[in-house]
Amino acid sequence: MPKGTFGVTTPIYYINAAPHLGTAYTTVAADTIARYERMNGYDVSFVTGTDEHGQKIAETAEKNGMTPQAWCDSLAPAFTDAWKTLDIDYTNFVRTTEDRQTRAVQKFWQGLYDAGWLYKSAYEGWYCVHEETYYAESDLEKNEDGEFVCPDCKRPVRYESSGEENWFFKLSEFQDKLLAFYDEHPDFIRPVSRRNEIVSFVKGGLQDLSISRSSFDWGIPVPWDEGHVFYVWADALIAYLTGIGYGDPEREAEFDRRWPIQYHFVGKDITRFHCVIWPAMLMAAGMPITHTVFGHGFLLTKGEKMSKSKGNGLMPADLVRVFGVDAYRYYFMSDVQFGHDGSISMERMVQVYNADLANTWGNLVSRVTNMTTKYFEGRVPETPAGSEDNPLREIADTLYAEYDACMAEVDFTGAAAAVQKLASRVNLYVEESAPWTLAKDPARADELAAVIYNCLEAIRIIALYMAPFMPNTSAEVFRRLGLGEIADTTDIQEATAWGQLPASVAVEVGDPLFPRLDVDNLPEL
Ligand code: MSP
């Protein structure tokens, strides 16, 4: 019986270019927590997808000489392929041009319209197409030519005053309700730095939000007013609901079971949409609100936000070719503290790879399986009495509490470090107990058996804790230890209790899991 449901989402990514390291970062993080909570026995939903409407996509398609739909269809596989390459095990992929999204968006906003939360009014104002965001003049910056530019992407903004009447959502009425909500739910916005930004933004007052446009047609039609389409954010946020069944009569029970979810993982640039507009929309609809919006930092290369348009956008597949998918995932999760900006570089990636994976985890598996072959004909030795008390077990016994507390804080770096601590301790234990010396003395056969057993058992436990980060390697380690499918684990706490490795099972040595890399001699990117 599952413990209950657990839900996480990534942003619904604009389909104007293939995924880069930044978008992959959020997606790997969501996958890591999703895998962990599955191993904890939760019935997990993990929604991701592509944001396919709006001016930006329409203009990108036009530049490429395609219809918006043809453009989206041509690019959607770049997302599903990238997520396959990175071993992303999502449960629902929503394209916002799917019929189910149209149904969900229309149902949601029709409800708000019927309840009196919308009104029609002339719209005029500054808009950044790249960010698909409205700005007050006071928020804008000026470039060298004296033009107003977007404070986020620094591109010129447009003044839109077609005299068109748009539909507005009465966001301004939610200021007090939102502030009270933030107060009552201190975990809603994390990390704390993001929370402070949002609280002071809302305290400054909220403007009503234009949620429809009639000057272009690449969007979901507003059902009660022909000629209007929904603003791209009024559409995309609903995908979080669509993914788990909202708007589908056949999935109503599933939706009720799954909503609200635990996490929206987003980049810090889009926390306002998720922490202000989104909860206000849900309040207006009388629906419960997601437990936590986690706004992570940016990946920086040479001090700049990494992005394709700046030309510093390495693609995930480039790095996977050099490091392998597991090392890729491990590097971003362990070395870039979730919630902070983090500088990434090839040099650092090689350094982490060699230290944590080649020299520690991979080396440990090789040397212990090799010794098992050498001293015990490749079979797990029986554990002699008295071998339960050992320094590895001491660490293993408290590891679940430590690791789980990190995961609850979405501190992937801390969780990875806790497992590494055990791996390093096993390497040290091998040095201290010197099995090669014990093996020379038949009187110490029991001691030798205990040392090898303890090492193999620690390896089994480490593989379990590494699995959310590096699913392939952990599955391979389980295979080498003659154990079943690691992916079937539904109670990681119980599975990591000491002493479950069965004796006399055949152990396989295999190739090095992480062959050492030389930073001066890397394959071409
Ligand atoms: N379509 C909207 C999201 C709608 S969600 C209902 C969107 N899409 S996006 O493709 O532009 O961005 C998706 C995410 O990628 C954002 O959270 C953004 O912060 C993140 N990243 C883009 N570049 C990044 C880095 N260099 N580093 C880390 N993440 C960054 O916004």
Side-chain angles (χ1 to χ4, degrees):
M1 269 298 281
K3 272 191 198 164
T5 59
F6 173 92
V8 61
T9 66
T10 72
I12 306 300
Y13 302 113
Y14 288 127
I15 200 160
N16 59 323
H20 54 63
L21 300 187
T23 43
Y25 177 60
T26 327
T27 312
V28 168
D31 188 61
T32 303
I33 200 112
R35 285 178 184 272
Y36 177 59
E37 296 304 354
R38 269 185 210 117
M39 293 179 83
N40 259 320
Y42 286 98
D43 176 6
V44 168
S45 67
F46 170 7
V47 175
T48 186
T50 43
D51 192 351
E52 307 194 354
H53 289 126
Q55 270 161 276
K56 175 157 70 174
I57 304 300
E59 289 178 14
T60 310
E62 201 181 325
K63 266 188 226 139
N64 286 277
M66 290 164 99
T67 64
Q69 189 64 61
W71 169 258
C72 295
D73 291 346
S74 73
L75 217 63
F79 283 81
T80 43
D81 289 353
W83 302 154
K84 207 173 191 179
T85 304
L86 293 176
D87 260 314
I88 306 298
D89 196 6
Y90 53 77
T91 57
N92 299 90
F93 187 97
V94 180
R95 294 184 56 184
T96 58
T97 50
E98 287 176 70
D99 289 347
R100 58 177 172 151
Q101 172 75 357
T102 301
R103 276 195 300 271
V105 169
Q106 292 184 336
K107 172 179 165 166
F108 185 91
W109 286 107
Q110 182 74 53
L112 263 56
Y113 173 73
D114 294 344
W117 288 111
L118 307 181
Y119 64 93
K120 206 170 185 181
S121 175
Y123 166 74
E124 241 184 289
W126 293 102
Y127 194 75
C128 172
V129 173
H130 186 262
E131 299 295 325
E132 296 280 18
T133 303
Y134 304 97
Y135 292 98
E137 197 163 300
S138 54
D139 290 336
L140 298 175
E141 294 174 12
K142 280 197 175 167
N143 66 12
E144 291 157 359
D145 303 329
E147 278 175 302
F148 278 124
V149 295
C150 168
D152 293 309
C153 72
K154 317 292 179 203
R155 290 175 173 82
V157 285
R158 296 182 191 171
Y159 195 76
E160 303 203 333
S161 65
S162 56
E164 58 170 307
E165 295 241 288
N166 287 347
W167 286 96
F168 280 79
F169 169 49
K170 296 178 184 168
L171 182 62
S172 59
E173 292 192 14
F174 288 87
Q175 182 180 9
D176 293 342
K177 290 188 192 101
L178 285 169
L179 290 171
F181 179 77
Y182 304 151
D183 241 17
E184 285 156 23
H185 299 87
D187 279 345
F188 176 59
I189 308 168
R190 291 177 57 198
V192 173
S193 53
R194 293 287 107 83
R195 177 184 157 80
N196 297 340
E197 282 162 24
I198 295 290
V199 170
S200 67
F201 172 75
V202 174
K203 281 189 173 154
L206 296 173
Q207 309 257 324
D208 289 346
L209 177 75
S210 164
I211 55 121
S212 80
R213 318 296 289 276
S214 57
S215 53
F216 65 96
D217 63 2
W218 184 237
I220 294 180
V222 172
W224 63 88
D225 195 355
E226 205 178 319
H228 285 253
V229 294
F230 285 105
Y231 166 46
V232 61
W233 275 96
D235 165 352
L237 287 161
I238 307 293
Y240 296 144
L241 308 178
T242 311
I244 52 171
Y246 178 84
D248 180 347
E250 283 173 17
R251 293 177 70 197
E252 251 170 48
E254 180 191 348
F255 178 74
D256 290 344
R257 198 159 46 83
R258 294 197 179 281
W259 187 263
I261 57 165
Q262 193 67 28
Y263 289 117
H264 294 307
F265 281 1
V266 299
K268 63 180 178 181
D269 53 337
I270 55 172
T271 41
R272 268 190 207 178
F273 291 97
H274 287 82
C275 299
V276 182
I277 298 173
W278 181 226
M281 283 165 60
L282 291 166
M283 283 176 187
M287 290 168 70
I289 295 166
T290 308
H291 192 270
T292 296
V293 174
F294 200 102
H296 66 70
F298 285 144
L299 300 181
L300 309 173
T301 45
K302 302 192 177 82
E304 278 207 50
K305 179 184 171 201
M306 213 222 67
S307 74
K308 190 82 185 142
S309 53
K310 292 215 181 81
N312 55 2
L314 267 179
M315 295 313 232
D318 299 330
L319 293 177
V320 168
R321 233 174 291 125
V322 177
F323 295 93
V325 54
D326 278 16
Y328 177 106
R329 294 169 57 108
Y330 179 82
Y331 168 70
F332 286 97
M333 290 300 98
S334 66
D335 208 46
V336 185
Q337 179 84 47
F338 208 59
H340 297 265
D341 288 349
S343 284
I344 57 165
S345 70
M346 277 307 255
E347 291 72 22
R348 178 69 189 151
M349 204 166 165
V350 172
Q351 204 180 12
V352 171
Y353 175 96
N354 281 337
D356 288 9
L357 302 182
N359 296 349
T360 307
W361 178 216
N363 177 41
L364 175 62
V365 174
S366 294
R367 72 198 298 209
V368 175
T369 49
N370 266 310
M371 289 189 292
T372 311
T373 303
K374 196 161 166 193
Y375 306 134
F376 296 96
E377 290 164 353
R379 300 211 169 255
V380 178
E382 292 284 347
T383 41
S387 63
E388 302 82 21
D389 288 334
N390 67 77
L392 307 185
R393 182 182 181 156
E394 259 169 53
I395 298 180
D397 281 351
T398 56
L399 192 48
Y400 178 80
E402 190 179 346
Y403 182 100
D404 187 64
C406 290
M407 285 296 195
E409 288 298 312
V410 208
D411 174 9
F412 298 114
T413 306
V419 195
Q420 276 299 334
K421 204 166 56 186
L422 177 57
S424 301
R425 187 64 187 87
V426 190
N427 272 325
L428 180 67
Y429 175 73
V430 172
E431 297 302 320
E432 287 169 353
S433 21
W436 41 90
T437 310
L438 300 177
K440 288 186 191 133
D441 183 352
R444 301 180 79 182
D446 271 5
E447 251 179 275
L448 178 65
V451 168
I452 298 299
Y453 182 88
N454 291 339
C455 291
L456 287 167
E457 174 60 350
I459 287 174
R460 184 187 71 83
I461 291 168
I462 294 166
L464 282 157
Y465 286 119
M466 284 296 193
F469 298 99
M470 300 191 285
N472 294 299
T473 312
S474 288
E476 173 61 12
V477 170
F478 256 46
R479 203 190 57 73
R480 290 185 189 182
L481 295 185
L483 298 167
E485 289 292 328
I486 197 165
D488 294 341
T489 308
T490 54
D491 187 345
I492 186 169
Q493 183 173 18
E494 185 223 46
T496 51
W498 188 267
Q500 297 180 56
L501 184 68
S504 71
V505 171
V507 167
E508 196 182 307
V509 175
D511 293 334
L513 294 169
F514 302 101
R516 269 187 73 84
L517 287 172
D518 175 0
V519 75
D520 296 321
N521 202 7
L522 291 176
E524 279 293 304
L525 278 174

